[in-house]
Amino acid sequence: MPLLELKGVSAGYTGASVLNKITLSLDAGEIATLVGSNGAGKSTIAKLVSGILTPMQGEVIFDGKSVKGLSASDRLRLGIAHVPEGRQIFGGMTVLENLRLGAYSVPSRLSMDIESQLAFVCMFFPVLKDRLGDVAGNFSGGQQQMLAIARGLMSRPRLLILDEPSLGVAPLLVNEIFQLIQRLRGEGITILLAEQNARQALSIADRGYVIENGQMVMEGAAAALAGSADIAERYLGIGTSIGANEDKDARMARELLRIVA
Amino acid sequence: MAEVLQIFVGGVLLGAIYALIALGFSLIYRVTGVVNLSQGGFAVLAALAGYTFSQRLGLPLPIALLCAVGGTTVVGLAIGWFTFVPALKKLSNANVLMLTVGILTLIEGFSLIVWGSQPYSVPAFSGEQPLEIGGLRITTQTFWIIGTAIVIFLAVWFVISRTKVGKALRACSENPSAAALMGINVKRMTLLSFTLATLIAAVAGVVVAPTTTLQFNTGQLFTISGFIAVVIGGISSFPGAIVGGLFLGLVTQFATAYVSSLFSNAIALILLLFILIYAPTGLIPSKITRRQDVREEPRVWGHLTRLAPQTAWIAAAVGIVIAVVVPLVIPAAYISSLTIAAIIFLALIGLDLLMGYTGQVSLGQAGFMAIGGYTAGYLSINYGIEPVFGIAAGVMLSLLSALVLSIVTLRLRGLYLALATLAFGLLIDSCAIGFIDITGGPSGMVGIPSFSVGPLYFDTPMSMYFLVVAVDVVVLFCLFGALRTSFGRALQSIRSDQMAASALGINIVRYKLAVFMISAALASISGSLLAYSFNFLAPEMVGTARSLELVSMLVIGGEGTLVGPVFGSVLLTMLPTIFQPLAMYKTFFSGALLILCFLYLPRGMYGVIAHAMSRVSTPKTVANSQGLAEGGAQ
Ligand SMILES: Nc1ncnc2c1ncn2[C@@H]1O[C@H](COP(=O)(O)OP(=O)(O)OP(=O)(O)O)[C@@H](O)[C@H]1O
Ligand SMILES: [Mg+2]
């Protein structure tokens, strides 16, 4: 039985429809990757699974049960954790406080679990271990990304959603992060990885889904996708450096020009 | 030395009060990124309720106070649930700020209905006999207040820094969307912070009550002092609230003792303006860099309902006919109110240009009315100057003040802009009260002549009415003309995004300054006309309460429409006159209306009417979509 299934899910933001009938499934212990260019809808899928966005149509099924109507905190308790795009750490708080907030959904009576998870996470991220008392905002981008992943692990998830963990991270560190993701799978955590960096994502994943304009255009074993000429041409060569923000600014500027002209 | 110490103790006492209110501001600001101006209203509500429970119903003091605090907190919870929390999602920060002005007005209106307008004084908790300590006389209530302040500070500090809930509150304040991912219910935390702040305000209110006289609108004073304190100290840090409160308390107290009580406020305000220029984040800036989430962005606007040109001309003609006919058919007694509505509308046109078109908040617009009114009145009374020149002199002085004020305001946006303009209005308030020789002080300026131009006298309500309406119409036509040019489009782009606008080469500073000047001039003329029409001017006619009322009228009428505010002005001015017995409910209703408009009618009464009219005139929507298509093609 798959751990996570999306069945004909459509979603959007006020007014605009973004995803169109997405269906995918993910077995326990797998790494699945969502690849696609800017604005394809990868982050939207991540939000649907973690529950901060509700689908307009279709169903999200986790561990055999529909998670319809469950809040983000309910889903965290079921074992779904979401490490958002752009890290989103609490910059004014210490590393330790950030980690403890990651375990916010764990009831206080399980404080032993929280402590042991903290120890586990520190073992996994030695960088953080020495700096638990430091203010997280002063960290470098790569360290912040580590912290964001560590924070996501604090709720002992069974499914970890990683949204563009390589965004704005130096190539060397990207390798490290991808190795880390593989080690997490070794710990039995299922991983849904949204990435623009398709080549690398497919190289560590078991399964791949290619999203384009809110549609699922291709899916299959990661190795097969990586080998496919079509994919290579479309996604592996291009579209790794343009940030979503630039896109937004460009649109805003155009809008303004229209008003002023 | 003993005297200095005595003043010092007084300052600390006052400071503790300010700090308590400031703490509530800081709490809500940290979690939601907006300032809740209704804070002081809850304090006074609790104090008045405490009075009723203990003095009228005869409950033992502790129980009475507990009931008062509990009741107020529940009211705060309900108001937060139905207004504040939903508003956070829909409105920009500046508009949520205005909404809390609405909540403040609502509470004041409620207090007016229940307790009337007379002042109340509440006995001290432990008797009126002051304690003598080393030659100092200290009232027992001082100990209660300072003790309460310390307990509350420790409690808040403990909750925020030591508990899980506190961590969640801080997480929401830093990054609400990431907080939601951690499983924190952001909405609930927002409500919690609002309720906690209400609780703090309520406790402060009942404890402070014996040291002051309470009136339905005392809340404004609490709000304003607390707000000033929190900005001086630094709004996003709790120690800042304490430092700011104490600092303000001491300054006010020493200024009262050694300069003049009439100017102690003015000194505090000037201090505030300087702090806004040199250290806008306060004396104790927080370590936290404000998060950059969506709430800092302006409210997303649907297109304004614009009438088709033909319909607009017809509507304008109909409007003018109505304006001419109405005074001829309504009872003579109403005409002077109608005149006031028309005079205030003039100030509203300017405010709409500033807030509605350019998105610059102003909570001190009545300050310019005061400058215009007092200047014109003073010159006419003492030098017999022609009213037209009196008005011109007022405009000059207003423009000059606007220029000086703009040194501060041009650098600020949103919250700080609101604060700076509020401070300006308050500064003018305290000058109007303080310069007794010029303004007549609290009792007002009497004997202002009626308006006249050469031999033409406008000394009847009817003649004045037509004069003002003519001025309104001329100003409206001029502005509509100006807004059709690139000027109007530049203003719009400033409203939607200042950074992008300046990147496109729009000279933001010039446009903002121009609009600020125009609005100041219009407010000034409006104030002068008010003085000539009443033959009298008192500080409260052109004070901060008026500034807040102007904002209500603008929102109720419809922002960004120029003509819309006329509905707000007529409604809020005429209703109490027509329904005399209901005059008491006016404040309450204007608060309620303001809140409802913000939540459900973002385009105000104008929006509703214009929508209805465009439906009638264009039964099919084809015309509209064609217009859009053409617009898109250009
Ligand atoms: N909060 C939002 N409100 C409105 N539209 C949104 C919002 N977030 C995303 N969108 C839109 O939804 C579409 C899909 O966005 P999404 O963030 O899912 O893309 P993505 O595949 O993650 O892209 P990227 O690789 O750039 O992160 C885009 O067109 C985007 O403009
Ligand atoms: Mg994305």
Side-chain angles (χ1 to χ4, degrees):
Chain A
M1 191 181 67
L3 183 67
L4 175 74
E5 273 182 282
L6 266 64
K7 286 191 177 162
V9 173
S10 302
Y13 304 92
T14 36
S17 159
V18 171
L19 288 182
N20 189 6
K21 300 235 171 78
I22 297 285
T23 296
L24 61 80
S25 88
L26 176 53
D27 285 336
E30 265 189 343
I31 297 178
T33 181
L34 298 168
V35 295
S37 54
N38 283 118
K42 306 178 297 289
S43 300
T44 308
I45 294 181
K47 291 180 201 165
L48 284 172
V49 177
S50 66
I52 49 176
L53 187 71
T54 37
M56 301 192 286
Q57 228 181 52
E59 252 188 324
V60 178
I61 296 168
F62 183 71
D63 204 9
K65 286 193 275 298
S66 168
V67 290
K68 194 172 176 162
L70 295 187
S71 67
S73 92
D74 294 333
R75 293 184 196 198
L76 272 161
R77 264 176 238 124
L78 283 181
I80 303 177
H82 177 176
V83 178
E85 188 173 356
R87 312 187 261 275
Q88 310 277 353
I89 56 154
F90 301 107
M93 299 192 184
T94 63
V95 172
L96 186 61
E97 281 172 323
N98 268 278
L99 292 176
R100 287 202 183 282
L101 276 166
Y104 181 81
S105 60
V106 182
S108 316
R109 68 190 141 77
L110 300 179
S111 63
M112 294 299 288
D113 289 8
I114 299 178
E115 295 312 315
S116 68
Q117 189 67 6
L118 193 60
F120 168 76
V121 165
C122 285
M123 182 200 79
F124 235 88
F125 297 92
V127 206
L128 301 179
K129 190 180 173 186
D130 310 326
R131 308 191 56 175
L132 284 178
D134 291 7
V135 174
N138 299 337
F139 273 25
S140 75
Q143 289 167 329
Q144 288 190 9
Q145 186 62 59
M146 297 287 190
L147 176 58
I149 298 174
R151 189 183 61 180
L153 287 172
M154 282 300 295
S155 60
R156 287 180 175 256
R158 290 153 70 196
L159 171 67
L160 184 67
I161 307 165
L162 295 170
D163 196 349
E164 307 222 12
S166 71
L167 192 75
V169 174
L172 217 66
L173 208 61
V174 172
N175 286 337
E176 201 178 314
I177 287 177
F178 277 100
Q179 276 166 19
L180 217 128
I181 295 171
Q182 280 177 300
R183 276 172 62 205
L184 286 175
R185 173 178 49 186
E187 298 289 332
I189 300 172
T190 311
I191 286 162
L192 180 61
L193 172 66
E195 262 294 346
Q196 282 195 27
N197 193 344
R199 192 188 301 274
Q200 241 169 333
L202 287 170
S203 75
I204 62 160
D206 301 300
R207 206 193 283 236
Y209 295 95
V210 181
I211 318 278
E212 196 178 344
N213 283 329
Q215 310 265 8
M216 177 83 69
V217 291
M218 217 180 282
E219 60 169 292
L225 281 180
S228 134
D230 193 22
I231 289 291
E233 186 182 313
R234 273 210 192 163
Y235 300 106
L236 304 190
I238 53 159
T240 46
S241 60
I242 303 165
N245 285 336
E246 280 162 350
D247 198 29
K248 211 190 267 168
D249 289 348
R251 236 181 314 151
M252 174 67 89
R254 232 180 301 127
E255 180 73 10
L256 279 166
L257 270 175
R258 201 174 54 76
I259 296 175
V260 177
Chain B
M1 191 60 207
E3 185 192 279
V4 173
L5 267 181
Q6 188 77 51
I7 298 168
F8 182 79
V9 171
V12 170
L13 170 67
L14 207 57
I17 299 172
Y18 295 158
L20 273 175
I21 303 286
L23 186 67
F25 278 121
S26 184
L27 189 64
I28 296 185
Y29 180 79
R30 284 185 56 161
V31 177
T32 62
V34 300
V35 162
N36 170 24
L37 291 179
S38 63
Q39 211 59 356
F42 287 112
V44 171
L45 186 66
L48 287 171
Y51 170 85
T52 301
F53 290 146
S54 69
Q55 306 295 307
R56 290 288 161 81
L57 305 182
L59 293 178
L61 194 65
I63 296 181
L65 297 186
L66 220 58
C67 290
V69 169
T72 306
T73 309
V74 171
V75 171
L77 179 73
I79 290 182
W81 176 269
F82 288 110
T83 64
F84 190 72
V85 173
L88 276 180
K89 255 214 218 122
K90 290 191 194 176
L91 306 179
S92 72
N93 281 357
N95 280 326
V96 176
L97 183 83
M98 298 297 151
L99 179 101
T100 64
V101 171
I103 299 177
L104 178 65
T105 315
L106 188 80
I107 297 171
E108 286 184 351
F110 176 78
S111 306
L112 181 62
I113 295 169
V114 176
W115 286 282
S117 55
Q118 69 270 37
Y120 291 86
S121 59
V122 182
F125 294 177
S126 328
E128 306 291 346
Q129 183 66 42
L131 292 181
E132 297 247 358
I133 301 173
L136 293 180
R137 293 163 62 83
I138 303 175
T139 58
T140 52
Q141 198 64 22
T142 304
F143 294 102
W144 279 105
I145 293 174
I146 294 178
T148 309
I150 292 174
V151 168
I152 288 185
F153 282 124
L154 289 179
V156 168
W157 171 80
F158 179 78
V159 169
I160 293 290
S161 64
R162 290 294 135 101
T163 66
K164 196 172 166 185
V165 170
K167 275 213 186 71
L169 283 172
R170 279 165 58 205
C172 290
S173 82
E174 282 207 20
N175 189 332
S177 52
L181 281 176
M182 303 299 110
I184 296 167
N185 187 331
V186 179
K187 224 165 134 183
R188 199 180 300 162
M189 288 299 148
T190 306
L191 192 60
L192 180 69
S193 69
F194 190 88
T195 312
L196 263 183
T198 308
L199 175 68
I200 295 173
V203 172
V206 297
V207 182
V208 170
T211 62
T212 171
T213 48
L214 296 169
Q215 230 174 322
F216 72 100
N217 59 2
T218 314
Q220 277 184 22
L221 300 181
F222 280 122
T223 286
I224 289 164
S225 328
F227 195 18
I228 294 175
V230 88
V231 173
I232 289 179
I235 192 157
S236 43
S237 76
F238 290 129
I242 303 173
V243 170
L246 288 178
F247 186 73
L248 182 64
L250 289 171
V251 166
T252 324
Q253 214 50 316
F254 277 98
T256 307
Y258 293 113
V259 188
S260 149
S261 68
L262 289 173
F263 289 110
S264 64
N265 272 338
I267 290 168
L269 290 164
I270 290 172
L271 204 76
L272 173 70
L273 288 176
F274 270 103
I275 288 183
L276 280 177
I277 295 177
Y278 293 110
T281 45
L283 296 178
I284 303 196
S286 129
K287 275 180 297 189
I288 305 171
T289 43
R290 276 299 299 163
R291 51 144 194 258
Q292 302 104 33
D293 71 323
V294 285
R295 275 203 216 118
E296 297 289 359
E297 288 173 12
R299 170 157 59 149
V300 185
W301 280 70
H303 70 290
L304 291 171
T305 320
R306 295 255 178 256
L307 296 175
Q310 234 177 351
T311 327
W313 280 110
I314 297 171
V318 172
I320 292 176
V321 169
I322 291 177
V324 171
V325 172
V326 162
L328 305 176
V329 296
I330 61 171
Y334 296 162
I335 294 179
S336 50
S337 303
L338 208 56
T339 311
I340 298 172
I343 292 176
I344 290 176
F345 178 48
L346 197 59
L348 282 170
I349 298 175
L351 187 64
D352 194 17
L353 200 62
L354 190 65
M355 280 180 66
Y357 276 84
T358 327
Q360 310 294 301
V361 177
S362 169
L363 293 182
Q365 209 63 9
F368 296 113
M369 290 179 73
I371 295 178
Y374 280 115
T375 309
Y378 184 77
L379 292 178
S380 292
I381 294 173
N382 294 295
Y383 302 101
I385 274 182
E386 278 275 310
V388 179
F389 295 119
I391 292 179
V395 170
M396 284 309 184
L397 204 54
S398 290
L399 289 180
L400 201 64
S401 318
L403 203 59
V404 174
L405 180 61
S406 66
I407 297 174
V408 184
T409 57
L410 281 179
R411 323 164 164 227
L412 306 172
R413 293 191 68 180
L415 170 66
Y416 288 102
L417 181 60
L419 178 73
T421 52
L422 181 69
F424 165 74
L426 291 167
L427 191 61
I428 300 293
D429 278 5
S430 55
C431 290
I433 293 170
F435 290 119
I436 294 182
D437 297 336
I438 299 175
T439 63
S443 49
M445 179 183 262
V446 289
I448 302 172
S450 289
F451 188 79
S452 61
V453 184
L456 272 178
Y457 277 83
F458 295 84
D459 47 4
T460 63
M462 190 74 94
S463 58
M464 194 66 193
Y465 172 80
F466 282 110
L467 173 76
V468 177
V469 168
V471 173
D472 285 346
V473 170
V474 169
V475 168
L476 273 179
F477 273 106
C478 292
L479 284 180
F480 269 123
L483 287 173
R484 293 168 77 92
T485 64
S486 61
F487 177 68
R489 288 190 293 268
L491 297 192
Q492 264 182 30
S493 67
I494 290 176
R495 167 177 196 126
S496 52
D497 190 326
Q498 288 200 5
M499 298 283 252
S502 64
L504 288 175
I506 294 172
N507 188 338
I508 293 190
V509 171
R510 207 177 64 198
Y511 282 106
K512 275 164 78 171
L513 193 61
V515 168
F516 193 50
M517 295 298 221
I518 294 174
S519 76
L522 287 177
S524 175
I525 297 173
S526 159
S528 306
L529 289 174
L530 203 63
Y532 287 124
S533 129
F534 269 104
N535 307 121
F536 169 71
L537 196 64
E540 67 271 11
M541 286 160 67
V542 285
T544 294
R546 174 75 78 193
S547 293
L548 300 184
E549 191 189 50
L550 287 175
V551 172
S552 304
M553 288 173 168
L554 176 63
V555 173
I556 291 170
E559 269 182 280
T561 60
L562 286 194
V563 283
V566 79
F567 299 112
S569 160
V570 170
L571 188 77
L572 289 191
T573 316
M574 293 303 288
L575 278 189
T577 319
I578 296 174
F579 303 104
Q580 272 296 346
L582 294 183
M584 221 183 159
Y585 295 89
K586 176 191 164 183
T587 316
F588 182 78
F589 279 120
S590 70
L593 263 177
L594 181 62
I595 295 172
L596 289 177
C597 280
F598 261 131
L599 290 179
Y600 302 109
L601 291 180
R603 276 155 229 151
M605 289 168 66
Y606 175 88
V608 175
I609 293 170
H611 188 68
M613 281 205 312
S614 57
R615 270 228 189 127
V616 173
S617 60
T618 47
K620 288 183 195 129
T621 47
V622 181
N624 273 337
S625 49
Q626 260 177 1
L628 277 180
E630 281 163 22
Q634 280 165 7

